[in-house]
Amino acid sequence: FIFKPVTMVGCSTASCKKVAGMRCPTCIKMNIEHGSFFCDQECFKANWNEHKKVHKRAKVAIEKSTTILAENTQMTYPGFEFTGPMRPFAQSPRRPIPPHIQPTDYARSVGGESESEQMHRSKLRVLSPAMIEKMRVACRLGREVLDECAKVIKPGVMTDEIDAVCHKACLERNAYPSPLNYYNFPKSCCTSVNEVICHGIPDGYKLKEGDIVNVDISLFHNGVHADLNETFLVGTVSEESLHLVKTTYECLMKSIAQCKPGMRYRDIGTIISKHAEAEGLSVVRTYCGHGINDLFHCAPNVPHYHKNKAVGVMKPGHTFTIEPMINVGTWQDVTWPDNWTSTTTDGKRSAQFEHTLLVTEDGVEILTARTEDSPRGAVWFEDVAAGKQ
């Protein structure tokens, strides 16, 4: 048994009113917080038959997240004119969240609305050192989850399989997948293929040779959110698609390189637009980067196009995302009747990359940066940008 004194946490035995002084070792290994604390060994042993059900429920919930997958059945929206070849496919049931995972305030909301976000989203906050450390941990976990998803991307894999990997990886890290039930979004990540700009819903679509797919990962851990995404190449892609992905990644990194205290958030859009347009591409205007902390989306707004009217100046302790969406053709978008999937109006391809960033005293820290353990290493997208892939 592992003793771990905890301040003012009650014993999990229903009839016991004492303060906890230990945690179940199995719960620690499984990252189970709720119901894992006991006052002493005797109370823990007496409650073991009931308590071990917590472990079983957690294991069952995690297994269910990967065993039920969508069918490869194409769907449609009667009367809707699609702009490109992508179509919706059948979706799997919503994946369960075990009770030991700390939920967001919208996780069980009927409309998926975050009350805290609605109350505080307009405030641009400087985070405390303790909150910054929480963000570092959450963002590291977010990177690990995206890397797990990247490992399974290949022709023939359903986007719902990517979602299953994401969901399970979040739960294994004691994290809630932030997209799930956010304004009723039905899945744990977004998978946006080819002409889909963003917010693609994972379903029974099987990736094909030559596709490009963006995987957008967000998670909630220890009271804060992390957010990042990358566009992946499925097999061998066309020169046009490679150019699009390469330029989009460069747009992100060029804008990050200029971030520092005193920079206006509106100037990020000028940097991105200048590079994208010089490469013959366009910048999506409907969606933007955002502040992120204990709120999923909040101030500042970070548009990616020039001549925007975003307010605010970077200060040490700000955390926010930059996530440019770059198109081969027009910048304009249209949303499918599912109220989420956004595609280009001309059916041409779109790519996106995103990092969560922390403004430091003399620059910026990429909290969601790739690591040497990331698939194909930390420099995979630098190699793409250099034309080596």
Side-chain angles (χ1 to χ4, degrees), residues 18 26 30 47 62 64 101 108 135 146 156 178 188 200 227 256 278 287 295 297 323 330-331 336 353 378 385:
K18 296 179 181 179
T26 303
M30 297 180 68
N47 194 52
I62 292 174
K64 280 186 177 180
I101 299 295
R108 301 184 182 96
M135 288 294 297
L146 181 56
S178 300
S188 298
D227 199 1
I256 290 175
Y287 307 99
L295 304 178
H297 297 92
E323 46 188 294
T330 179
W331 60 267
W336 285 1
F353 287 89

Side-chain angles (χ1 to χ4, degrees), residues 273-289:
S273 291
K274 181 178 180 181
H275 185 62
E277 292 171 3
E279 295 295 327
L281 304 172
S282 65
V283 182
V284 173
R285 301 185 180 188
T286 304
Y287 307 99
C288 63

Side-chain angles (χ1 to χ4, degrees), residues 203-217:
D203 57 22
Y205 175 78
K206 291 186 177 182
L207 295 174
K208 300 175 183 177
E209 181 81 15
D211 282 348
I212 59 173
V213 56
N214 178 272
V215 180
D216 195 339
I217 300 296

Side-chain angles (χ1 to χ4, degrees), residues 93-115:
R94 184 169 297 195
R95 297 191 158 89
I97 298 291
H100 69 276
I101 299 295
Q102 179 188 2
T104 60
D105 66 345
Y106 55 81
R108 301 184 182 96
S109 168
V110 174
E113 297 177 348
S114 169
E115 291 187 7

